[in-house]
Amino acid sequence: MPKDKYKLSKKHEYLIDKMGDIPSIDTIKNAMWSNDLLTGKFADHRYNTEDAILMILENLTKGTQLEDIGKEISEKARAVFDYYSEKE
């Protein structure tokens, strides 16, 4: 079988990299995850996760007929996330 059949596309590689940016619940709860947890503070990983999801959406729609709507969804979602993060 040709090796090309099993090669990952750039989008596949990008998605795998972004998966690493989103921590699991077990990782978040582990005190070794963040120095903030060691000092009694709680790190908030929502922004990183939201950003990763929106970047994934943008990348999946890049170069397709859905690119414009993907960017619009991303921009609107970022505005909502920013609005609520500023209120805290």
Side-chain angles (χ1 to χ4, degrees):
M1 282 195 212
K3 282 186 176 181
D4 289 345
K5 182 177 180 180
Y6 298 105
K7 274 188 161 178
L8 295 176
S9 70
K10 288 185 180 185
K11 282 189 179 182
H12 286 109
E13 290 176 3
Y14 179 81
L15 292 175
I16 291 168
D17 287 342
K18 284 295 156 194
M19 278 294 296
D21 291 346
I22 302 173
S24 69
I25 297 299
D26 291 335
T27 305
I28 291 171
K29 289 180 179 179
N30 185 352
M32 295 304 292
W33 171 254
S34 170
N35 286 334
D36 291 343
L37 291 175
L38 294 174
T39 61
K41 299 178 185 174
F42 291 102
D44 188 352
H45 301 284
R46 287 181 294 179
Y47 182 76
N48 292 344
T49 302
E50 292 162 355
D51 191 50
I53 291 169
L54 294 175
M55 290 173 70
I56 288 168
L57 174 67
E58 290 172 4
N59 193 278
L60 286 175
T61 59
K62 185 177 179 181
T64 69
Q65 292 178 342
L66 302 173
E67 185 171 8
D68 291 337
I69 193 72
K71 284 182 181 178
E72 185 176 340
I73 291 169
S74 179
E75 289 170 5
K76 283 185 168 187
R78 284 182 201 277
V80 170
F81 295 147
D82 290 344
Y83 172 79
Y84 284 107
S85 68
E86 290 171 2
K87 288 186 86 172
E88 291 178 0

